[in-house]
């Protein structure tokens, strides 16, 4: 994963080697955008997080070293992973094709991936 943090704008960009062709905001949070490898797909290849420092402060679990934003689900059919990025989905009941909306994201090994955001030793802002 490649991580770029714009300190002035407080925007975090996380990308993988796979190019994104579509994106969708979390269902209940337009400040978190899931980048997707296919149109109308649910294969996560990146993230954009606006006001990233506040999400990192409130969503980082130091015990598991995971950043969680939004909601999770237990159904493996509604979870997609790409390396240390995880996306959680909800089926849109009103869509006849069963389109999925992103409802949450997680980043495992957050202190490693987000080290560029801070000079703190663990890499996660206090």
């Amino acid at each position: 994963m490649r991580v770029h943090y714009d300190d002035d704008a407080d925007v975090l960009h996380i990308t993988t080697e796979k190019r994104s062709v579509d994106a969708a905001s979390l269902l209940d949070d337009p400040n978190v955008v899931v980048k997707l490898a296919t149109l109308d797909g649910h294969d996560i290849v990146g993230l954009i997080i606006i006001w990233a420092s506040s999400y990192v402060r409130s969503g980082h679990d130091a015990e598991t070293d995971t950043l969680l934003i939004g909601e999770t689900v237990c159904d493996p059919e509604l979870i997609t992973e790409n390396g240390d990025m995880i996306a959680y989905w909800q089926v849109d009941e009103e869509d006849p094709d069963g389109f999925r909306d992103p409802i949450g994201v997680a980043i495992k090994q957050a202190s490693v991936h987000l080290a560029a955001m801070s000079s703190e030793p663990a890499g996660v802002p206090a």
Side-chain angles (χ1 to χ4, degrees):
M1 284 191 329
R2 289 177 299 248
V3 178
H4 173 73
Y5 177 63
D6 182 330
D7 188 38
D8 292 331
D10 195 17
V11 175
L12 180 66
H13 293 262
I14 301 173
T15 57
T16 62
E17 66 283 347
K18 193 159 187 172
R19 188 173 159 263
S20 67
V21 297
D22 201 5
S25 296
L26 292 188
L27 189 58
D28 292 329
D29 192 341
N31 295 317
V32 180
V33 178
V34 178
K35 297 170 81 176
L36 305 165
T38 57
L39 290 174
D40 295 329
H42 56 276
D43 41 358
I44 184 172
V45 295
L47 291 171
I48 300 171
I49 304 171
I50 301 168
W51 296 322
S53 60
S54 64
Y55 286 98
V56 171
R57 278 193 296 274
S58 64
H60 182 251
D61 181 335
E63 188 174 310
T64 63
D65 195 19
T66 300
L67 172 64
L68 176 63
I69 301 171
E71 300 177 41
T72 64
V73 294
C74 295
D75 183 349
E77 294 291 318
L78 299 175
I79 301 170
T80 56
E81 294 188 43
N82 186 346
D84 285 339
M85 285 189 299
I86 303 169
Y88 301 95
W89 303 88
Q90 172 181 299
V91 175
D92 184 345
E93 300 296 335
E94 295 178 13
D95 188 305
D97 295 328
F99 181 78
R100 297 177 184 181
D101 293 305
I103 59 169
V105 293
I107 302 170
K108 298 184 283 188
Q109 298 187 62
S111 64
V112 173
H113 297 301
L114 306 180
M117 288 186 67
S118 171
S119 59
E120 296 291 320
V124 177

